[in-house]
Amino acid sequence: MERPDFRKKIAIVGVGTVKRFGELFDYELSDMIIEAYLEALSDARNLEPKDIDAAWFGWAIPANVGGGGSGAVLSEILNIIPKPVTRVENFCATGADALRNACFAVMSGWYDVVLAVGAEKMRDVDARDALLHALVRHGHPLWGKGFLVPSIFSVHATVYFNKFGATKEDLANVAVKNHRNGARNPRAHFQRAVDKGRVLSAPIVSWPLGLYDCCPVTDGAAAAIITRADLAKKFTDTPVYLSGMGIATDFVAGIFTHPKRDFTSFPATTNAANEAYRMARIDASQVDFAEVHDCFTITELLDIEDLGFCGKGDAPRFVKEGEANIGGKIAINPSGGLKSFGHPIGATGIRQVFEAVHQLRGDVEPKYGKSGRQVPDAEIGLCHNLGGTGSIASVLILER
Amino acid sequence: MERPDFRKKIAIVGVGTVKRFGELFDYELSDMIIEAYLEALSDARNLEPKDIDAAWFGWAIPANVGGGGSGAVLSEILNIIPKPVTRVENFCATGADALRNACFAVMSGWYDVVLAVGAEKMRDVDARDALLHALVRHGHPLWGKGFLVPSIFSVHATVYFNKFGATKEDLANVAVKNHRNGARNPRAHFQRAVDKGRVLSAPIVSWPLGLYDCCPVTDGAAAAIITRADLAKKFTDTPVYLSGMGIATDFVAGIFTHPKRDFTSFPATTNAANEAYRMARIDASQVDFAEVHDCFTITELLDIEDLGFCGKGDAPRFVKEGEANIGGKIAINPSGGLKSFGHPIGATGIRQVFEAVHQLRGDVEPKYGKSGRQVPDAEIGLCHNLGGTGSIASVLILER
């Protein structure tokens, strides 16, 4: 059956983030959220808190701050009581899926203006106690043996190396590119370029993944204000449209041991992308830039292939030859990616949307980036998350 | 601005629950979910798992089973990989809000058939460790002093008693009614009638709330299949329409000490009801029956008033004179309510929808209830949840 045309129906009219992602020991969860929200509000024109009809809150680990995981927490922080707020949690796709549900509600016609917020406190809390210890205590088959996330992704890297002849240098090229982009981004956690020698000689976390192959653990928050396209011009001269959304699932408990598992791809990414491309009525070749889930450098290589930007096994060349650079064929992680920004789980998906909106507006420099960070003439951008070591993926497609 | 007409646009074509709510020590979370899902699937006609485009999963306390809180968990349990699944968590409105988001997605036009599932393991797990201990450890101002949920609601009761001259007998009338209804419901946790003497002489939990004024702690799961009205007749001869949905928030951290707090009402309930009534284009007088959030007997009295079924202070009379009985003015909790069913947090909102669908179809007896449990000629039903001791409320309105 023919699906409705979502193109240029949903507009993003305001975006904001905390002023800089990082180890925000002087921010509580509420401080981060308020800072991101106020920027999003002021980014839109003529928008008052009373105009917001409803909100969606992407927040993955409430236990980190000892709170209960309700949307009411956001409502109280932002003083938007009694507005309806839904809390969404979906592994590393938490922020993106919160925004997706906000967009469905706008498309339903019931709400005019809605808010999507993503936030996470990752540093100054007992995250390991709340999350990992609970999983270990309940007998998690891998984590209980100390087999944590870097170890899981390292197996993807070794299988990929074996199958396609890639090397640790191919991973390093991803780190060098994303650190270079992040060094120009005043909001990134890490704002320092690294050279390949430094990446290759860094301590190993789980071979072949060294320190610079892993994204940091970071606090952050981001917000986006969404409305129907026909109302957008009231709030901005430069609306950016959310034209495609896709979420896909894969095995959770069995993901690592499932006999069908191909360690050189994440099927959830491809399935989510297919839904988003179908909704936006585009294919991968039309994407000008993409914020992808580089939790580890190997993940970015697989993302580039799974999203259809190049063929299987071709991502190392794609990155090495500069096709993933700003100004290349498809700029990958022009913001600096998770590698530079870190990955506050609930925030990341909406932080990527913040980047995509500014890239599509063409106003990245100088406020959000030093010279060379603007993707030239970008018309279509894509944001991608991969969560639960492959058990969930999200793809959002934005166009100007 | 005029809102779109939601009446009879969203149809529920299949519902299911676990065969009986209770202390389900022989069920894992997955067992409960599969049983509820398979009943919902077979309740609809010509419906295959492949027809389900997407799902929403209401699950409030993943820590209870040591799992991560992603929709992918549901996808794996039901073997509907790679379908998109969103997990929603919103205190005691978790199940209702999962269903609400599913309905918005259907109204957007993107999905034809979607699934909403709610489930919770409450009994055979270290719930107190995962939830309460974490809150206490992080310095919760009330819970850290042993001031738990019954204590909080007991204050509502004493203030209500003082203001309106109500007594423990008025609370007992609620317990007697809901146990009487639950005694006729083969799916309820407690299926035994109690008399007023027994209720009044029961041990006190937190004065004036005795043992029979408190709902039990229970395992359970429920599922609903939702589609657009124009597709509904393919799947059922008796569609039930979801015509109104409302969620409202209130103070979380400050709810108990906020100077504006009126302990004789929950503003979130009234705000959620107003949104739902507006969407369904009805008022409270048109409701034939309601499943309301009777976590404690005092809560049901406040619910009845906050939803607009009678005036302030009039709920004790409303219950005492039988207006809340099946066959009365507005049957309140014909299923037996949380009082008889227990309250598996993520499941309750969808378990109430299961009841409402069967009441509106008129097929409660004999499969889902002994003689006298069918609300006669019901055309409009309402489902209500109150969470976070008043910080969130949901209202759903269903019509045949």
Side-chain angles (χ1 to χ4, degrees):
Chain A
M1 187 174 150
E2 184 63 15
R3 300 288 181 178
D5 191 349
F6 270 63
R7 289 174 302 176
K8 302 201 173 182
K9 297 281 171 55
I10 304 163
I12 299 173
V13 296
V15 288
T17 73
V18 68
K19 289 286 173 280
R20 182 175 175 177
F21 279 47
E23 293 182 310
L24 305 180
F25 294 125
D26 51 343
Y27 282 68
E28 293 196 10
L29 181 81
S30 51
D31 298 319
M32 298 195 306
I33 287 171
I34 289 167
E35 195 163 282
Y37 167 71
L38 290 179
E39 187 182 33
L41 263 189
S42 63
D43 185 44
R45 186 175 56 205
N46 303 323
L47 192 74
E48 304 288 331
K50 68 173 172 49
D51 298 324
I52 294 168
D53 295 320
W56 277 256
F57 183 23
W59 185 26
I61 319 179
N64 280 0
V65 298
S70 166
V73 174
L74 184 78
S75 193
E76 182 169 55
I77 289 171
L78 298 183
N79 192 25
I80 56 171
I81 291 167
K83 313 271 180 169
V85 187
T86 296
R87 181 178 151 244
V88 169
E89 178 181 335
N90 220 344
F91 289 159
C92 298
T94 291
D97 201 12
L99 188 129
R100 168 176 168 267
N101 278 275
C103 291
F104 279 133
V106 168
M107 277 299 285
S108 82
W110 185 248
Y111 298 122
D112 291 338
V113 179
V114 305
L115 171 71
V117 170
E120 213 75 60
K121 276 307 254 187
M122 303 283 288
R123 295 297 305 185
D124 57 338
V125 288
D126 54 353
R128 283 152 304 196
D129 177 49
L131 187 64
L132 296 188
H133 282 201
L135 290 169
V136 169
R137 193 169 61 238
H138 285 279
H140 191 288
L142 300 171
W143 294 17
K145 296 178 173 62
F147 202 74
L148 296 169
V149 179
S151 311
I152 292 171
F153 280 91
S154 73
V155 177
H156 287 266
T158 52
V159 175
Y160 189 85
F161 284 10
N162 185 57
K163 185 164 179 184
F164 295 113
T167 67
K168 233 175 111 47
E169 279 204 42
D170 296 313
L171 302 182
N173 289 335
V174 172
V176 168
K177 168 179 70 69
N178 290 356
H179 272 275
R180 184 171 66 235
N181 292 348
R184 296 171 179 165
N185 191 332
R187 303 237 163 164
H189 184 172
F190 292 159
Q191 298 178 25
R192 194 162 56 175
V194 294
D195 63 28
K196 197 189 287 189
R198 185 181 179 115
V199 175
L200 290 172
S201 62
I204 291 296
V205 174
S206 179
W207 201 90
L209 303 176
L211 189 63
Y212 290 96
D213 293 297
C214 308
C215 78
V217 177
T218 302
D219 301 319
I225 293 166
I226 302 149
T227 186
R228 298 202 311 272
D230 60 299
L231 301 173
K233 285 295 171 73
K234 178 180 168 192
F235 302 116
T236 183
D237 293 324
T238 53
V240 167
Y241 301 98
L242 198 298
S243 290
M245 310 187 287
I247 288 266
T249 51
D250 203 345
F251 298 96
V252 185
I255 192 162
F256 203 63
T257 50
H258 194 276
K260 286 187 182 170
R261 168 65 46 207
D262 171 357
F263 288 93
T264 64
S265 75
F266 291 107
T269 294
T270 303
N271 285 313
N274 286 344
E275 184 181 16
Y277 289 146
R278 191 168 69 242
M279 189 186 283
R281 304 186 182 203
I282 65 163
D283 61 42
S285 71
Q286 293 172 260
V287 174
D288 294 310
F289 68 91
E291 290 284 306
V292 308
H293 202 86
D294 58 326
C295 50
F296 300 94
T297 49
I298 180 62
T299 323
E300 176 166 319
L301 293 178
L302 301 186
D303 296 342
I304 290 171
E305 298 174 5
D306 291 337
L307 291 165
F309 298 150
C310 71
K312 283 306 299 174
D314 195 32
R317 181 202 61 77
F318 191 88
V319 172
K320 185 180 181 184
E321 295 184 358
E323 296 195 11
N325 291 351
I326 295 170
K329 186 179 172 192
I330 303 176
I332 304 292
N333 282 323
S335 72
L338 280 59
K339 189 71 205 66
S340 294
F341 258 91
H343 178 31
I345 298 176
T348 291
I350 299 176
R351 191 275 300 162
Q352 294 175 321
V353 166
F354 173 92
E355 170 73 9
V357 165
H358 284 295
Q359 289 288 359
L360 291 164
R361 287 183 189 165
D363 68 357
V364 169
E365 302 166 17
K367 191 172 176 188
Y368 307 107
K370 294 175 191 154
S371 177
R373 213 174 72 67
Q374 174 71 52
V375 177
D377 302 319
E379 294 193 354
I380 296 179
L382 180 150
C383 301
H384 162 261
N385 291 124
L386 179 81
T389 64
S391 59
I392 189 115
S394 64
V395 171
L396 304 173
I397 294 169
L398 296 91
E399 60 180 322
R400 67 173 190 198
Chain B
M1 187 174 147
E2 184 63 16
R3 300 289 181 178
D5 191 349
F6 270 63
R7 289 174 301 177
K8 302 202 173 182
K9 297 282 173 52
I10 303 164
I12 299 173
V13 296
V15 287
T17 73
V18 68
K19 289 286 173 279
R20 181 175 177 179
F21 280 47
E23 293 184 310
L24 305 180
F25 295 125
D26 51 342
Y27 282 67
E28 293 197 10
L29 181 80
S30 52
D31 298 319
M32 299 195 303
I33 287 171
I34 289 167
E35 195 164 283
Y37 167 71
L38 290 179
E39 187 182 31
L41 263 190
S42 63
D43 185 44
R45 185 175 55 206
N46 303 321
L47 192 74
E48 304 287 331
K50 69 174 172 49
D51 298 324
I52 294 169
D53 295 320
W56 276 257
F57 183 24
W59 184 29
I61 319 179
N64 280 0
V65 298
S70 166
V73 173
L74 183 77
S75 193
E76 182 169 56
I77 289 171
L78 298 184
N79 193 24
I80 57 171
I81 291 167
K83 312 271 181 171
V85 187
T86 296
R87 181 179 151 243
V88 169
E89 177 181 335
N90 221 346
F91 289 159
C92 298
T94 292
D97 201 12
L99 187 129
R100 169 175 168 266
N101 277 276
C103 291
F104 279 135
V106 168
M107 276 299 285
S108 83
W110 185 248
Y111 298 122
D112 291 338
V113 180
V114 306
L115 172 71
V117 170
E120 213 75 62
K121 276 307 252 186
M122 303 283 288
R123 295 296 308 185
D124 57 338
V125 288
D126 53 354
R128 285 151 304 196
D129 177 50
L131 187 64
L132 296 187
H133 284 202
L135 290 169
V136 169
R137 195 170 60 236
H138 286 279
H140 192 287
L142 300 172
W143 294 17
K145 295 179 174 60
F147 203 74
L148 296 170
V149 178
S151 311
I152 293 171
F153 280 91
S154 72
V155 177
H156 288 266
T158 54
V159 175
Y160 189 87
F161 284 9
N162 185 57
K163 185 164 179 182
F164 296 112
T167 66
K168 238 177 108 47
E169 280 204 41
D170 296 314
L171 303 181
N173 289 335
V174 173
V176 169
K177 169 180 69 68
N178 290 354
H179 272 275
R180 183 173 64 238
N181 292 347
R184 297 172 180 165
N185 191 332
R187 304 236 165 166
H189 184 172
F190 292 158
Q191 298 178 24
R192 193 162 56 172
V194 294
D195 62 28
K196 198 189 284 190
R198 185 182 178 115
V199 174
L200 289 172
S201 62
I204 292 295
V205 175
S206 179
W207 199 90
L209 303 176
L211 187 64
Y212 289 97
D213 293 298
C214 309
C215 78
V217 176
T218 302
D219 303 317
I225 293 166
I226 302 149
T227 186
R228 297 200 313 271
D230 60 297
L231 301 173
K233 284 295 172 74
K234 179 179 167 192
F235 302 115
T236 183
D237 292 324
T238 53
V240 167
Y241 301 98
L242 197 298
S243 289
M245 311 188 285
I247 288 267
T249 51
D250 202 345
F251 298 96
V252 184
I255 193 162
F256 202 63
T257 52
H258 195 276
K260 288 188 181 169
R261 168 64 46 206
D262 172 357
F263 288 95
T264 64
S265 75
F266 291 108
T269 293
T270 303
N271 285 312
N274 286 344
E275 185 181 15
Y277 289 147
R278 192 166 68 243
M279 190 186 282
R281 304 187 181 201
I282 66 163
D283 61 40
S285 72
Q286 295 172 259
V287 174
D288 295 309
F289 68 91
E291 289 284 306
V292 308
H293 201 87
D294 57 328
C295 51
F296 300 93
T297 49
I298 180 64
T299 323
E300 177 166 318
L301 294 178
L302 300 187
D303 297 341
I304 289 171
E305 298 174 5
D306 291 337
L307 291 165
F309 297 149
C310 69
K312 282 305 299 174
D314 194 32
R317 182 202 60 78
F318 191 89
V319 174
K320 186 179 180 183
E321 296 183 357
E323 297 196 8
N325 290 351
I326 294 170
K329 186 178 172 193
I330 302 176
I332 305 291
N333 282 323
S335 72
L338 279 59
K339 189 72 206 66
S340 294
F341 258 91
H343 178 30
I345 299 178
T348 291
I350 299 175
R351 189 276 299 162
Q352 293 175 321
V353 166
F354 173 91
E355 170 73 8
V357 164
H358 284 294
Q359 289 288 359
L360 290 164
R361 287 183 189 165
D363 67 356
V364 169
E365 301 166 16
K367 190 170 176 190
Y368 308 107
K370 294 174 193 154
S371 178
R373 213 174 73 68
Q374 175 72 52
V375 178
D377 301 320
E379 293 194 354
I380 296 180
L382 180 151
C383 300
H384 162 260
N385 292 121
L386 179 81
T389 64
S391 60
I392 189 116
S394 63
V395 172
L396 304 174
I397 295 170
L398 295 91
E399 60 182 321
R400 69 174 187 199

